[in-house]
Each structure stands twice: as structure tokens, then as C-alpha cells.
């Protein structure tokens, strides 16, 4: 699941066949051979790209969960391993779920994952998160104790942000960390964001392309930065450590949200004098795409 779910209406009822908390059975034996092959194809493409690009906790989690298998993982087996490591479980849902349902699951260390997988002609792009994005992208990081705690705290914070009318700001934090975050390591920049590690194109673009800005992570700054859901990001935020993410977000966001009321949003490609610039992007990619009418 990802921040796209933050746009979902809050009063919808679960679809037929789903439980009150929107979960469904994965029905693992119901997947077809073609669907399993889509998983294996995507898995192999990413497994070849990610050593040296994804961060150690991600690669370690991928091994610990044995996600390669012969195809789409069976959640019953995956959950045995994951739960033993950090107390998280993955639950299947029909698709995007309403915000408060999503946050309620996270706050209880349950990660909602779409049951469906993309079609063979959609390997590189699709709008809604599927089971490859949700399991391959998100679940390895949930084996890291610090990140696991962050995700749970985020769920609690989500409920609070709804009450305070600050969900737009909190959703940006999710986007630029959980989905598109980069980590600085002694070996160089590494990916931890699920939206990047599950995308062949962005796994390379985010680290190696001269176009995007790469800026030091700053909580308030991130919350002022809009994002695009239709193409590669124009800016990535770089964490010095996962612990820093947890430490910064354990503070009370009440004062943070009050500060934000007085601060305007930034333009997506803007660099401010306060920013720590890891690399200043050319924005050539985004400019070429908008010139082409993309
Ligand atoms: N500390 C935040 C609050 O007071 C909650 C939160 C934790 C938000 C972790 C995001 C991530 O609202
Ligand atoms: Fe996601």
C-alpha cells in the first residue's frame, strides 16, 4: 500500500467478500501460472539490480523472508518468518483502503497488501500498488526493528493527523520516506523506499541520474514538499540513518503542524538556502517529459 490510499474516501464500506477491517483471504492457490511468472520475472529483474543499490536492511530482509521462492509468496509462510522477526504481519486487502483503515492496521503492526498482481504487459508501470510492490517493496524493511517501529508510529500519527486536518503534510512524509527514501551509508547512497526498489527504472534513476535533486532529510521541509505520483520523482530526501527517522518522528507533531500553518508549500524542484544539497539536479528529465506533453 502507499500514500495513494490517502485520497480514499473515509466513509466507504468494504466491498463484498471483505471483512469489516477490509481484509480478505489471499487465496494463494487461486493464483494462475501466468501470475506467478509475473512475480518471478519482476523478482529476477530487481534482484539483479539491487545489490549495491538497496540498503543492507532491505537486502537482508529479502533474504530473511525468502521472498524469491517459485512465485507469489504465500502470506501464511511469509507471516511466520516476519512475525518472528519484528511482530509484523501482512494482511491481504482488495485494493486501496480508506485512510483510517490503513492507519489502524499499521498502528497494530499489520501491513495491508493488495492481493492482485499486475498483468504481463504492465511490468514497468501501474497506477495502483499490487502485491509485488507491497510485498517485495515494503515488507523487507519491516524486518528492520527501527523501521518496523517507525511504521507503527506512523499509523498512530495518521489517525491524529486526520483529526488535526494535517494529513496532506503527513502523507508527504510517507511518500518521501517509506516510498521514495534514500539512505546515506559509508559505501554511498542506498535505496530504502518501496516505490523505488519495486521499480526497475527508478532503482537506477534515483541514484544515478543527474536530473533529480537529492537533499538532506528535514522533517518540516519534507512536509512542505508536494510530490508527483505519475512519474519519477524530481527530489529525493537522504537520511543519515534509519534511527534518525524514528527519532525525528517520535516527537509530538502538534508544534510541527502549527509551524507548518505559517509556512507555504515549496515548489517540487525548489532548493532553499537551508537545504543540505547532496546533489543538485539538472531537472533535465522532468523538463523533457513536460515538453513532450507527458
Ligand atoms: N510523532 C507524530 C505525532 O505526534 C506521530 C508520527 C510518528 C508520525 C511517526 C509519523 C511517523 O503525531
Ligand atoms: Fe507503497
Amino acid at each position: 500500500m502507499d500514500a495513494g490510499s490517502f485520497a480514499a474516501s473515509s466513509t466507504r464500506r468494504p466491498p463484498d467478500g471483505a471483512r469489516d477491517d477490509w481484509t480478505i483471504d489471499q487465496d494463494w492457490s487461486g493464483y494462475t501460472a501466468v501470475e506467478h511468472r509475473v512475480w518471478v520475472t519482476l523478482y529476477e529483474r530487481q534482484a539483479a539490480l539491487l545489490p549495491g543499490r538497496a540498503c543492507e536492511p532491505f537486502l537482508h530482509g529479502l533474504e530473511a523472508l525468502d521472498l524469491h521462492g517459485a512465485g507469489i509468496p504465500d502470506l501464511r509462510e511469509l507471516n511466520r518468518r516476519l512475525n518472528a522477526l519484528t511482530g509484523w504481519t501482512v494482511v491481504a486487502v482488495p485494493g486501496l483502503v480508506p485512510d483510517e483503515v490503513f492507519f489502524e492496521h499499521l498502528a497494530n503492526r499489520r501491513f495491508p497488501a493488495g492481493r492482485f498482481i499486475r498483468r504481463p504487459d504492465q511490468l514497468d508501470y501501474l497506477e495502483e500498488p499490487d502485491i509485488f510492490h507491497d510485498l517485495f517493496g515494503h515488507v523487507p524493511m519491516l524486518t528492520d526493528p527501527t523501521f518496523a517501529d517507525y511504521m507503527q508510529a506512523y499509523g498512530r500519527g495518521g489517525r491524529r493527523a486526520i483529526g488535526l486536518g494535517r494529513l496532506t503534510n503527513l502523507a508527504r512524509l510517507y511518500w518521501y520516506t517509506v516510498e521514495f527514501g534514500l539512505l546515506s551509508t559509508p559505501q554511498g547512497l542506498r535505496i530504502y523506499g518501496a516505490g523505488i526498489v519495486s521499480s526497475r527504472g527508478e532503482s537506477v534513476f534515483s541514484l544515478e541520474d543527474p536530473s533529480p535533486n537529492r537533499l538532506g532529510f528535514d522533517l518540516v521541509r519534507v512536509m512542505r514538499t508536494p510530490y508527483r505520483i505519475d512519474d519519477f520523482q524530481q527530489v529525493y530526501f537522504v537520511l543519515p540513518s534509519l534511527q534518525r527517522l524514528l527519532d525525528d518522528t517520535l516527537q509530538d507533531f502538534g508544534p510541527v503542524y502549527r509551524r507548518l500553518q505559517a509556512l507555504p508549500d515549496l515548489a517540487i524542484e525548489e532548493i532553499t538556502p537551508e537545504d543540505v544539497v547532496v546533489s543538485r539536479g539538472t531537472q533535465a528529465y522532468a523538463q523533457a517529459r513536460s515538453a513532450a506533453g507527458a
Side-chain angles (χ1 to χ4, degrees), residues 1-3 111 129 133-134 138 174 178-179 194-195:
M1 281 295 117
D2 62 22
F111 190 76
H133 168 79
D134 283 335
H138 284 283
Y174 191 90
V178 178
E179 295 292 349

Side-chain angles (χ1 to χ4, degrees), residues 44-93:
E44 286 175 354
R45 288 180 0 167
Q46 291 313 100
L49 277 176
L50 292 178
R53 289 197 174 92
C55 67
E56 260 324 300
F58 177 88
L59 294 170
H60 182 263
L62 206 53
E63 282 306 309
L65 295 172
D66 193 18
L67 279 180
H68 21 300
I72 300 170
D74 186 334
L75 292 186
R76 292 167 295 195
E77 280 166 41
L78 174 66
N79 279 333
R80 265 199 297 278
R81 294 169 193 263
L82 177 62
N83 201 260
L85 288 168
T86 54
W88 274 79
T89 54
V90 178
V91 291
V93 291

Side-chain angles (χ1 to χ4, degrees), residues 246-267:
L246 184 59
D247 290 347
D248 280 13
T249 50
L250 284 180
Q251 67 177 299
D252 177 6
F253 279 16
V256 173
Y257 292 142
R258 274 195 295 282
R259 266 182 73 198
L260 282 164
Q261 274 170 6
L263 294 168
D265 282 355
L266 298 165

Side-chain angles (χ1 to χ4, degrees), residues 141-183:
M141 288 304 291
L142 292 175
T143 66
D144 179 84
T146 306
F147 195 83
D149 286 353
Y150 169 69
M151 286 290 276
Q152 177 179 26
Y154 190 93
R156 297 195 183 122
R159 295 189 295 210
R160 184 166 180 225
I162 293 176
L164 296 172
R166 285 281 148 193
L167 197 50
T168 303
N169 298 113
L170 194 72
R172 291 169 179 169
L173 176 64
Y174 191 90
W175 192 261
Y176 284 117
T177 60
V178 178
E179 295 292 349
F180 291 97
L182 297 179
L183 189 63

Side-chain angles (χ1 to χ4, degrees), residues 105-139:
H105 283 302
L106 294 187
N108 289 286
R109 290 173 103 85
R110 290 189 301 264
F111 190 76
R115 183 201 174 272
F116 80 101
I117 193 155
R118 66 197 76 183
R119 296 191 314 260
D121 60 320
Q122 296 174 313
L123 291 190
D124 288 309
Y125 184 75
L126 89 167
E127 293 263 327
E128 278 205 25
D130 72 342
I131 195 167
F132 183 75
H133 168 79
D134 283 335
L135 294 192
F136 183 93
H138 284 283
V139 178

Side-chain angles (χ1 to χ4, degrees), residues 49-55 181-183 188-192 196 201-210 212 214 236 238 279:
L49 277 176
L50 292 178
R53 289 197 174 92
C55 67
L182 297 179
L183 189 63
L189 287 188
R190 293 289 185 272
I191 306 161
Y192 72 93
I196 308 179
E202 201 148 3
S203 292
V204 176
F205 179 89
S206 64
L207 294 176
E208 289 150 57
D209 201 278
R214 298 177 186 87
Y236 299 92
V238 179
S279 60

